[in-house]
Amino acid sequence: MDATEGVNQFDPARGGHQVVGLRTLGPVHQDLLHVIVRDRPLGSDDRQVDRLAELCDRTIAAGQPGSGVRQIGDVLLRVGLPHCHPDLDDSSIDEALRRLSAGTVDAVVWAGGAGTRQIRTAIAAGARLRLLDLSEYRAPITKDWNTFYGNRAHFYAGEVFGAGGLGPADYAGIRPIRTVTIPNGLIARADTDPALVRRATAELYRDQGDYEGALWGANPAHRRIPDALSIYEGPIFCYIPLHPAAAEYYLRQFQRVPSCGAT
């Protein structure tokens, strides 16, 4: 959507450029917003963090500049720490987790599938980590979205960000928390070969069990690929129209084409 609108990292004033002619093929999965902290202080000078508000004057690894993680991280920090100016670290997820354990950053913001391999690996190697509950920020994040995008020519009301959870089925030893989900979709150019679009769309829904296993491993708890016809249940995919060749697939396979905004 940002590419289509030419905003954020696609803003020409920031060195980006608008990308026209994008089309949706289908939904992929929901990322989950993580804020990871140390499970216990490293020493007398290290304060335990139990809530996002306690990171006001701390150092946060908030994702690499221009990344999707940094973009949603900026939103979270804007609504969750409105009068604060924490120091932001640009480390990748691997380096950020190492710095968290070493005490050089105090929290890591991450948006990804659960459980994310790097986080699982860090825990298996002995890192003592904890996740903060972020459920109270879903409404403010939604309001921030509506304020930013609501002033544009094409705006669709509705819930872009969902409610999700993380716990020991995702990360060994982690206490359950509630968080915010972020939709992912498969996007192509409007002029992409129609045969390729039909094939790629079909692959989203063929052998879904194998796909889910590749994404989330042996986590049977609640990780599922969205149903094909849920493509337009939320407003996010209304902003990027369905590719005509993808519509052909839905019509042939499911006897109807998803209608933008339908639930």
Side-chain angles (χ1 to χ4, degrees), residues 144-171:
D144 184 270
W145 170 283
N146 291 341
T147 299
F148 184 81
Y149 296 105
N151 295 323
R152 306 190 178 277
H154 300 96
F155 175 71
Y156 300 89
E159 294 292 330
V160 171
F161 304 97
L166 292 162
D170 304 301
Y171 305 113

Short mmCIF file of all heavy atoms in Angstrom, two decimals, residues 144-171:
data_model
loop_
_atom_site.label_atom_id
_atom_site.label_comp_id
_atom_site.label_asym_id
_atom_site.label_seq_id
_atom_site.Cartn_x
_atom_site.Cartn_y
_atom_site.Cartn_z
N ASP A 144 -3.87 4.95 14.62
CA ASP A 144 -2.76 5.58 13.92
C ASP A 144 -2.87 5.30 12.42
O ASP A 144 -2.68 6.19 11.58
CB ASP A 144 -1.44 5.05 14.47
CG ASP A 144 -0.23 5.74 13.87
OD1 ASP A 144 0.28 5.25 12.82
OD2 ASP A 144 0.21 6.74 14.43
N TRP A 145 -3.17 4.05 12.05
CA TRP A 145 -3.37 3.68 10.65
C TRP A 145 -4.49 4.51 10.03
O TRP A 145 -4.34 5.08 8.95
CB TRP A 145 -3.68 2.19 10.55
CG TRP A 145 -4.14 1.73 9.18
CD1 TRP A 145 -5.38 1.90 8.62
CD2 TRP A 145 -3.36 1.04 8.21
NE1 TRP A 145 -5.43 1.35 7.36
CE2 TRP A 145 -4.19 0.82 7.08
CE3 TRP A 145 -2.05 0.58 8.17
CZ2 TRP A 145 -3.76 0.16 5.94
CZ3 TRP A 145 -1.61 -0.09 7.02
CH2 TRP A 145 -2.45 -0.29 5.93
N ASN A 146 -5.62 4.55 10.73
CA ASN A 146 -6.79 5.26 10.18
C ASN A 146 -6.52 6.76 10.02
O ASN A 146 -7.00 7.39 9.08
CB ASN A 146 -8.00 5.05 11.07
CG ASN A 146 -8.52 3.63 11.02
OD1 ASN A 146 -8.22 2.88 10.07
ND2 ASN A 146 -9.28 3.22 12.02
N THR A 147 -5.74 7.33 10.94
CA THR A 147 -5.39 8.74 10.84
C THR A 147 -4.48 8.99 9.64
O THR A 147 -4.67 9.94 8.87
CB THR A 147 -4.71 9.22 12.13
OG1 THR A 147 -5.61 9.05 13.23
CG2 THR A 147 -4.30 10.67 12.02
N PHE A 148 -3.50 8.11 9.46
CA PHE A 148 -2.51 8.32 8.39
C PHE A 148 -3.11 8.06 7.01
O PHE A 148 -2.94 8.85 6.08
CB PHE A 148 -1.31 7.41 8.61
CG PHE A 148 -0.20 7.62 7.61
CD1 PHE A 148 0.71 8.66 7.78
CD2 PHE A 148 -0.06 6.78 6.52
CE1 PHE A 148 1.74 8.86 6.87
CE2 PHE A 148 0.97 6.99 5.60
CZ PHE A 148 1.87 8.02 5.78
N TYR A 149 -3.81 6.94 6.87
CA TYR A 149 -4.32 6.54 5.56
C TYR A 149 -5.72 7.06 5.28
O TYR A 149 -6.16 7.08 4.13
CB TYR A 149 -4.29 5.02 5.41
CG TYR A 149 -2.89 4.46 5.44
CD1 TYR A 149 -2.41 3.80 6.57
CD2 TYR A 149 -2.03 4.61 4.36
CE1 TYR A 149 -1.12 3.30 6.61
CE2 TYR A 149 -0.74 4.12 4.40
CZ TYR A 149 -0.29 3.45 5.53
OH TYR A 149 0.99 2.98 5.57
N GLY A 150 -6.41 7.49 6.32
CA GLY A 150 -7.78 7.94 6.13
C GLY A 150 -7.91 9.23 5.35
O GLY A 150 -9.00 9.55 4.84
N ASN A 151 -6.83 9.98 5.24
CA ASN A 151 -6.86 11.23 4.50
C ASN A 151 -6.56 11.05 3.02
O ASN A 151 -6.51 12.03 2.28
CB ASN A 151 -5.84 12.22 5.10
CG ASN A 151 -6.20 12.62 6.51
OD1 ASN A 151 -7.36 12.77 6.83
ND2 ASN A 151 -5.19 12.76 7.36
N ARG A 152 -6.39 9.82 2.58
CA ARG A 152 -6.01 9.57 1.21
C ARG A 152 -7.24 9.25 0.36
O ARG A 152 -8.33 9.00 0.85
CB ARG A 152 -4.98 8.46 1.14
CG ARG A 152 -3.81 8.81 2.05
CD ARG A 152 -2.60 7.95 1.92
NE ARG A 152 -1.57 8.48 2.83
CZ ARG A 152 -0.77 9.48 2.53
NH1 ARG A 152 -0.83 10.04 1.35
NH2 ARG A 152 0.11 9.91 3.40
N ALA A 153 -7.03 9.26 -0.96
CA ALA A 153 -8.16 9.13 -1.89
C ALA A 153 -8.89 7.80 -1.71
O ALA A 153 -10.11 7.75 -1.81
CB ALA A 153 -7.66 9.29 -3.32
N HIS A 154 -8.15 6.74 -1.46
CA HIS A 154 -8.76 5.42 -1.31
C HIS A 154 -8.56 4.94 0.12
O HIS A 154 -7.43 4.67 0.53
CB HIS A 154 -8.14 4.43 -2.29
CG HIS A 154 -8.30 4.84 -3.73
ND1 HIS A 154 -7.32 5.52 -4.42
CD2 HIS A 154 -9.34 4.69 -4.59
CE1 HIS A 154 -7.75 5.76 -5.65
NE2 HIS A 154 -8.95 5.28 -5.78
N PHE A 155 -9.63 4.87 0.87
CA PHE A 155 -9.55 4.42 2.25
C PHE A 155 -10.70 3.45 2.52
O PHE A 155 -11.83 3.68 2.12
CB PHE A 155 -9.65 5.60 3.23
CG PHE A 155 -9.70 5.17 4.67
CD1 PHE A 155 -8.59 4.65 5.29
CD2 PHE A 155 -10.88 5.27 5.40
CE1 PHE A 155 -8.64 4.24 6.62
CE2 PHE A 155 -10.94 4.87 6.72
CZ PHE A 155 -9.81 4.35 7.33
N TYR A 156 -10.37 2.34 3.20
CA TYR A 156 -11.36 1.33 3.52
C TYR A 156 -11.38 1.13 5.03
O TYR A 156 -10.35 0.78 5.62
CB TYR A 156 -11.04 0.01 2.82
CG TYR A 156 -11.00 0.13 1.31
CD1 TYR A 156 -9.82 0.47 0.66
CD2 TYR A 156 -12.14 -0.08 0.55
CE1 TYR A 156 -9.78 0.60 -0.72
CE2 TYR A 156 -12.10 0.04 -0.83
CZ TYR A 156 -10.92 0.39 -1.46
OH TYR A 156 -10.88 0.51 -2.83
N ALA A 157 -12.51 1.39 5.63
CA ALA A 157 -12.62 1.22 7.08
C ALA A 157 -12.61 -0.27 7.41
O ALA A 157 -13.06 -1.10 6.64
CB ALA A 157 -13.91 1.86 7.58
N GLY A 158 -12.10 -0.58 8.58
CA GLY A 158 -12.09 -1.97 9.02
C GLY A 158 -10.82 -2.29 9.78
O GLY A 158 -9.90 -1.48 9.87
N GLU A 159 -10.77 -3.50 10.31
CA GLU A 159 -9.66 -3.92 11.14
C GLU A 159 -8.52 -4.48 10.28
O GLU A 159 -8.64 -5.55 9.70
CB GLU A 159 -10.13 -4.99 12.14
CG GLU A 159 -11.11 -4.49 13.18
CD GLU A 159 -10.47 -3.51 14.16
OE1 GLU A 159 -9.26 -3.66 14.41
OE2 GLU A 159 -11.17 -2.62 14.65
N VAL A 160 -7.44 -3.72 10.18
CA VAL A 160 -6.25 -4.21 9.48
C VAL A 160 -5.44 -5.11 10.40
O VAL A 160 -4.95 -6.16 9.99
CB VAL A 160 -5.40 -3.02 9.00
CG1 VAL A 160 -4.04 -3.49 8.47
CG2 VAL A 160 -6.14 -2.24 7.92
N PHE A 161 -5.30 -4.71 11.65
CA PHE A 161 -4.48 -5.43 12.61
C PHE A 161 -5.36 -6.29 13.51
O PHE A 161 -6.32 -5.80 14.11
CB PHE A 161 -3.66 -4.44 13.44
CG PHE A 161 -2.81 -3.53 12.60
CD1 PHE A 161 -3.25 -2.26 12.28
CD2 PHE A 161 -1.59 -3.95 12.11
CE1 PHE A 161 -2.49 -1.41 11.49
CE2 PHE A 161 -0.82 -3.12 11.31
CZ PHE A 161 -1.27 -1.85 11.00
N GLY A 162 -5.00 -7.56 13.63
CA GLY A 162 -5.80 -8.48 14.42
C GLY A 162 -5.19 -8.74 15.79
O GLY A 162 -4.15 -8.18 16.17
N ALA A 163 -5.86 -9.59 16.55
CA ALA A 163 -5.39 -9.99 17.88
C ALA A 163 -4.78 -11.39 17.78
O ALA A 163 -5.34 -12.28 17.15
CB ALA A 163 -6.55 -9.99 18.87
N GLY A 164 -3.62 -11.55 18.38
CA GLY A 164 -2.94 -12.85 18.37
C GLY A 164 -2.27 -13.12 19.68
O GLY A 164 -2.32 -12.31 20.62
N GLY A 165 -1.62 -14.25 19.77
CA GLY A 165 -0.94 -14.63 20.99
C GLY A 165 0.35 -15.37 20.72
O GLY A 165 0.55 -15.94 19.65
N LEU A 166 1.25 -15.34 21.69
CA LEU A 166 2.51 -16.07 21.64
C LEU A 166 2.71 -16.76 22.97
O LEU A 166 2.27 -16.27 24.01
CB LEU A 166 3.68 -15.12 21.37
CG LEU A 166 3.72 -14.47 19.98
CD1 LEU A 166 4.63 -13.24 19.99
CD2 LEU A 166 4.19 -15.47 18.95
N GLY A 167 3.36 -17.91 22.94
CA GLY A 167 3.56 -18.63 24.18
C GLY A 167 4.52 -19.79 24.02
O GLY A 167 5.30 -19.84 23.06
N PRO A 168 4.48 -20.75 24.94
CA PRO A 168 5.47 -21.84 24.94
C PRO A 168 5.40 -22.74 23.72
O PRO A 168 6.39 -23.40 23.39
CB PRO A 168 5.14 -22.61 26.23
CG PRO A 168 3.74 -22.22 26.57
CD PRO A 168 3.58 -20.82 26.10
N ALA A 169 4.26 -22.80 23.01
CA ALA A 169 4.21 -23.58 21.78
C ALA A 169 5.05 -22.94 20.69
O ALA A 169 5.50 -23.60 19.76
CB ALA A 169 2.77 -23.73 21.30
N ASP A 170 5.28 -21.63 20.81
CA ASP A 170 6.09 -20.90 19.85
C ASP A 170 7.55 -20.84 20.29
O ASP A 170 8.46 -21.00 19.47
CB ASP A 170 5.55 -19.47 19.69
CG ASP A 170 4.09 -19.45 19.27
OD1 ASP A 170 3.78 -20.00 18.22
OD2 ASP A 170 3.28 -18.88 20.03
N TYR A 171 7.76 -20.57 21.59
CA TYR A 171 9.11 -20.41 22.14
C TYR A 171 9.17 -21.12 23.49
O TYR A 171 8.42 -20.77 24.42
CB TYR A 171 9.45 -18.93 22.32
CG TYR A 171 9.30 -18.13 21.04
CD1 TYR A 171 8.31 -17.15 20.91
CD2 TYR A 171 10.15 -18.35 19.97
CE1 TYR A 171 8.18 -16.42 19.74
CE2 TYR A 171 10.02 -17.63 18.79
CZ TYR A 171 9.03 -16.66 18.68
OH TYR A 171 8.89 -15.95 17.52
#
